Amino acid sequence: MATNLEIFKSPRFTGEVIQADIEFFDSLETIDRFAANNDLQIFVTQSVRQQGVPIGGAIVPPASRSNHLVGHAIDMNILLNDRLFNSTDLRSSNLRNLPVAVQDFIRSIQIDPILRWGGDFGDPVHIDDGLNLRQPLTWAAKFPIIQAELVGGLPPDDSEQERLLFLTRPFMRGEDVRAVQEALIQRGFDIDADGIFGPLADAAVTAFQASQGLTVDGVVGSQTRQALGL
C-alpha cells in the first residue's frame, strides 16, 4: 500500500491547492479528463482534511470516517464560461436546469465505476472514490499515516500503534474491541462485551464521543481510548 500526500496539479483545477494521497491521483486524473471533455474547470474548495479541525462553510455535517481524512476526496464548485456553479446550483433536484456540459460532467462521475458524486448522498459539491466503503481496512491503515503527515510528524511504529476500531463489514473482532466495550459498559452503555464491533458498539462509541466533546466519527483512536481510560 503506497500512502503519502502529494500536490496534484492540472490547468483544469483552480482554487485551493489539491493535497491528496498518491493512490487518489488516478481518480483525480479521471475527474480532470471528464472536465476537459466538457470544457469546464473544477474550482476546488477543499481536499485533504485534518481530523478535529472545524470546517467553515460546510453544507452538510462531516461524514464519519470521511474520505477527506485520508486524502481521497475533494470539495468543489464548477466553472463554465466564467460562471461558478455552487452547492445551490448543483443540488440533484436542479440538475435538469444546468448547462449540458455541467450535466454531462456530473453524469460521467455517476457512471464511473470508482468515483462518487456527493449529490447522490446530499453533498453536491463533493467527489470521492468511496474508499471508506469499498476498502474500510485500507482506509483505516491510511488514516494515521495521512493525519501524521498533515501535522508534520511521522506515523507511529506499527508495532506500537493500537489499531483503529470502527464499524466495518465484516465486523472487527478482538480483545481490544472487548476492552472498549467493557469501558463503555462501565460508563452506563447497554451493550455486550462480546469482542465484536457491531452497530451497537458503533452507536455507543459515537454517543460517548459526543458526550466528551470529542470528534464524533465512530473511530476509536488514541483520544477516545484515553477518554475511556484505556
Side-chain angles (χ1 to χ4, degrees), residues 14-53:
T14 64
E16 295 292 325
V17 172
I18 297 177
Q19 265 193 300
D21 178 28
I22 58 171
E23 290 195 336
F24 188 54
F25 273 35
D26 285 348
S27 291
L28 289 169
E29 289 169 358
T30 299
I31 297 169
D32 182 74
R33 185 174 73 253
F34 293 159
N37 290 344
N38 291 285
D39 198 23
L40 52 79
Q41 289 184 299
I42 306 302
F43 185 88
V44 178
T45 57
Q46 189 172 57
S47 52
V48 69
R49 178 186 301 157
Q50 186 175 341
Q51 186 187 39
V53 174

Side-chain angles (χ1 to χ4, degrees), residues 136-148:
L137 297 181
T138 299
W139 185 98
K142 287 179 178 291
F143 176 78
I145 300 172
I146 296 297
Q147 290 294 307

Side-chain angles (χ1 to χ4, degrees), residues 196-211:
I196 303 171
F197 200 106
L200 291 179
D202 177 66
V205 166
T206 54
F208 174 75
Q209 290 172 328
S211 72

Side-chain angles (χ1 to χ4, degrees), residues 7 15 28 35 65 72-74 93 125 130 134 140 158 170 179 181 208 216:
I7 302 295
L28 289 169
R65 296 176 285 281
H72 278 246
I74 60 170
S93 62
V125 293
R134 292 185 296 106
D158 286 343
Q181 291 170 324
F208 174 75
V216 182

